[in-house]
Amino acid sequence: MPLRCIDELPIERKKVLIRVDFNVPMEDGSIKDITRIKATMPTINYALQKKAKLILASHLGRPKGKVVPELSLRPISEVLSKLLGRKVILAPNCVGPEVQKLAQELREGEVLMLENLRFHPEEEKNDLQFAKALAELAEVYINDAFGAIHRNHASIVAITNFFEHVGCGFLLKKELDILDKIFSSAPRPFLLILGGAKVSDKMDIIKNLLDKVDAIAIGGAMSYTFIKALGGQVGSSPVEEDKIEEAREVLHKAGERGVKILLPLDHVAVREVKKEAEKEYFDNTTFPEGYKAVDIGPKTVEVFVKMISTAKTILWNGPMGIFEYEDFAQGTRAIAEAISRSEALTVVGGGDTLNAVNLWGLAERFTHLSTGGGALVEYLKGKSLPGLMALER
Ligand code: ADP
Ligand code: MG
């Protein structure tokens, strides 16, 4: 079955369960960023226009199958209520007789939000009975949770067995369409920019995209393994020794295919990662032991920015340094700003990358800012997404 979207399904005046991703960053019980809630508004508003009886289901954080009051969806239901300008009823649970009654009594245009799905261990086990109990609340199932689409969980996968009509919401559709475009018809030159903590996390992205891109710029902690693979020095920076050989092979393959690989030429380094640490600048031949790289250096920024200015498609995932410290954020910020100035098709994603971009108020300045962290990375690695397969079954 081809993927169907909410506007192709008979939802009018029906009880519609929408699996949303309201897993927003929280701090001391309040919401730090509502991007993910806002991103789902087109789907919610559409369903309400169609006078659907709306049931929203989401997880929040990692309560590990137990009720954790701090991870209640109450604050989210309140924010949503403000955004919609109407009452959002918060259910005391996500399944059970009380919730069933609330769903039963819903009227057209009313919104019921289920309590955190992960308060039940069955959710993460893709449990059929639990999925059935959720499904019994509604007549049509919509998934709009791109950020959770890589999860083999009950509200994402098993639940689709119990509906005649299943489909995606507008957010999920948008995310998939843009990735599809990047994979099939990206304007060239296509520059992939990767950074972040671990080579092992991102190596498969490089391998999967090697045939699609013209150049790959690598920064952040993951770049040190590649520099080491080429015989360069990185002092006491983190290197994944067991990935050096693979890094060498990938560099070789890139060479064969004419894909240009840009690695940092210089680094900001410190003896100790802390606030107001004294910064030193080293290149790959002068980097002494006892120092750790924490950001790309100014020469590297210049080269990367130049590459950005000539690209027609840019896909960026992963910070260039430990941007969480203002002192070590310059490289990441310069790259983020250069991408935001570009006229190219720009797609940016990743949990920490998103935090960085939000920190500098650049969120609106890209063609597409993905709401998926892990889901995006899985997609870029070429892995199939269980939630998507379930919708297409
Ligand atoms: P994303 O969530 O966007 O996919 P990752 O989780 O892969 O990104 O990586 C983000 C993390 O990488 C950040 O917390 C950042 O501090 C860290 N990082 C980047 N560069 C370095 C570095 N040189 N040393 C240590 N950590 C780094
Ligand atoms: Mg991350």
Side-chain angles (χ1 to χ4, degrees):
M1 278 269 286
L3 179 63
R4 288 191 298 167
C5 195
I6 186 167
D7 56 356
E8 300 166 86
L9 293 170
I11 65 160
E12 207 151 335
R13 299 175 202 278
K14 291 273 170 39
K15 278 184 282 174
V16 179
L17 189 146
I18 307 184
R19 174 53 161 103
V20 289
D21 177 12
F22 287 170
N23 183 31
V24 292
M26 304 283 295
E27 205 173 68
D28 304 326
S30 61
I31 303 172
K32 269 173 67 189
D33 177 46
I34 63 167
T35 309
R36 283 184 162 175
I37 303 176
K38 277 195 187 152
T40 314
M41 294 307 282
T43 303
I44 293 175
N45 280 324
Y46 176 82
L48 290 176
Q49 264 169 37
K50 294 283 171 190
K51 301 200 161 48
K53 302 164 185 171
L54 210 53
I55 301 163
L56 302 175
S58 179
H59 72 281
L60 176 63
R62 298 178 188 272
K64 306 213 169 106
K66 291 198 195 74
V67 176
V68 177
E70 295 77 43
L71 294 175
S72 163
L73 286 171
R74 178 167 297 283
I76 294 168
S77 70
E78 286 163 3
V79 166
L80 182 66
S81 171
K82 276 200 197 111
L83 287 171
L84 288 172
R86 65 174 87 194
K87 191 171 150 203
V88 173
I89 308 159
L90 179 69
N93 199 338
C94 59
V95 289
E98 234 179 309
V99 183
Q100 224 153 29
K101 185 160 176 284
L102 284 169
Q104 212 53 253
E105 287 167 357
L106 266 185
R107 280 173 302 185
E108 291 168 8
E110 281 191 338
V111 184
L112 174 67
M113 185 180 281
L114 306 183
E115 190 48 281
N116 197 338
L117 292 162
R118 289 195 191 165
F119 284 175
H120 293 260
E122 295 90 344
E123 163 66 357
E124 291 180 74
K125 291 185 184 139
N126 197 28
D127 183 271
L128 264 184
Q129 285 312 312
F130 178 71
K132 187 161 181 252
L134 282 173
E136 277 166 0
L137 301 174
E139 295 154 289
V140 180
Y141 171 79
I142 298 294
N143 191 330
D144 209 23
F146 178 67
I149 200 77
H150 60 310
R151 302 287 189 197
N152 196 22
H153 292 175
S155 68
I156 307 274
V157 176
I159 194 170
T160 58
N161 290 305
F162 302 102
F163 286 95
E164 189 191 339
H165 298 292
V166 302
C168 67
F170 297 122
L171 173 65
L172 180 53
K173 180 88 165 69
K174 186 170 108 187
E175 296 266 13
L176 294 170
D177 282 351
I178 193 104
L179 289 172
D180 202 43
K181 180 166 181 197
I182 284 249
F183 272 69
S184 62
S185 59
R188 314 295 282 255
F190 182 170
L191 169 65
L192 169 66
I193 305 173
L194 281 181
K198 282 194 174 157
V199 186
S200 40
D201 273 356
K202 309 274 169 98
M203 190 70 97
D204 287 346
I205 300 184
I206 301 182
K207 286 184 174 170
N208 190 42
L209 289 177
L210 213 46
D211 285 328
K212 314 244 186 269
V213 302
D214 301 293
I216 307 177
I218 304 174
M222 66 177 289
S223 64
Y224 314 136
T225 301
F226 284 90
I227 293 170
K228 199 86 189 275
L230 289 174
Q233 289 173 13
V234 291
S236 308
S237 309
V239 168
E240 287 179 62
E241 297 288 342
D242 60 336
K243 290 283 163 187
I244 291 183
E245 194 46 46
E246 204 175 337
R248 208 172 278 139
E249 282 163 26
V250 165
L251 291 170
H252 182 72
K253 263 201 195 127
E256 281 179 348
R257 291 180 198 185
V259 175
K260 206 170 154 86
I261 304 266
L262 303 174
L263 289 168
L265 305 167
D266 62 339
H267 309 269
V268 179
V270 296
R271 279 193 185 274
E272 207 187 323
V273 177
K274 60 173 189 191
K275 255 189 168 169
E276 284 158 29
E278 196 164 332
K279 293 195 271 183
E280 302 271 355
Y281 295 83
F282 302 119
D283 65 29
N284 299 331
T285 60
T286 60
F287 209 127
E289 291 296 322
Y291 282 90
K292 288 190 189 81
V294 289
D295 194 6
I296 52 175
K299 285 185 212 143
T300 307
V301 168
E302 206 180 308
V303 174
F304 283 14
V305 166
K306 201 162 183 188
M307 203 70 183
I308 289 167
S309 70
T310 59
K312 292 279 188 289
T313 300
I314 301 167
L315 173 61
W316 174 37
N317 163 255
M320 299 288 109
I322 310 179
F323 74 95
E324 292 90 343
Y325 291 81
E326 206 184 334
D327 278 343
F328 315 144
Q330 281 171 30
T332 305
R333 184 165 186 170
I335 297 310
E337 284 176 349
I339 300 171
S340 79
R341 282 194 302 271
S342 161
E343 303 275 302
L345 170 68
T346 53
V347 178
V348 175
D352 293 290
T353 310
L354 216 82
N355 291 344
V357 158
N358 281 324
L359 204 61
W360 305 312
L362 298 172
E364 311 292 321
R365 308 266 288 275
F366 309 102
T367 312
H368 182 68
L369 187 63
S370 179
T371 55
L376 177 75
V377 169
E378 288 306 292
Y379 186 99
L380 296 178
K381 285 177 181 171
K383 301 267 160 68
S384 61
L385 302 169
L388 187 58
M389 276 163 43
L391 291 178
E392 289 172 339
R393 190 162 53 206

